[in-house]
Amino acid sequence: MAARGDTYENPVTGQRLTFLATTADTGGAALEVETAYRPGGARPPLHFHPSQQEDFEVLEGAVEAVVDGERRTLQAGDVLTVPAGTPHAMWCEAAPARLRWRTAPALETEAFFETIWGLAAAGRMTSRGVLRLSQMALTGPEFKDEFRLAKPAWLTQMAIFTMLGPVARLQGLSARHAPPPAAAAPRVD
């Protein structure tokens, strides 16, 4: 599991993730990270977290967000709370951005981040920063309490994952993946 100060870089999206407070640090109450986006990086799919709230504070730059169908531009100093079950996506278009990101409760979000960043480092993500369908067939159900795609409907996703899961296992894939090697944390002066 991640330790406070560990930093992962996603070679596909360019997003950097530094752990500020891990699941162990908070007794599972929350996971807190700092994330850095590069401009023009991949836009994540519209998704939601069934029982977790996310709080974002823009520390530097600006990000675009879609929250429950409404597009917003958030700039340094802005704070955004995304309630559990709310479809959303966030990305950076014009200049680098840095955010503080808190997920509560933590659940298995730390393992989810390690898996996603690890899969990206292993080349198991499309150039758009999305898991290939065969990988999603295993990773989606594994982290269903932490992350769900907003479309198609969850029952449809589960039907697809159930059909593709055995094929993915035959291909040697697994639901979880080792985290990428930790990068040097950015200097804070």
Side-chain angles (χ1 to χ4, degrees), residues 54-55 99 102 110 144 146 152 185:
E54 289 185 307
D55 297 295
L99 289 79
R102 183 176 190 274
E110 191 173 309
K144 69 183 182 313
E146 292 77 25

Side-chain angles (χ1 to χ4, degrees), residues 37 43-47 64-68 80 86-91:
Y37 291 92
R43 183 176 173 173
L46 195 61
H47 64 280
E64 299 300 314
V66 172
V67 180
D68 209 14
L80 173 68
T86 305
H88 64 284
M90 189 176 297
W91 67 97

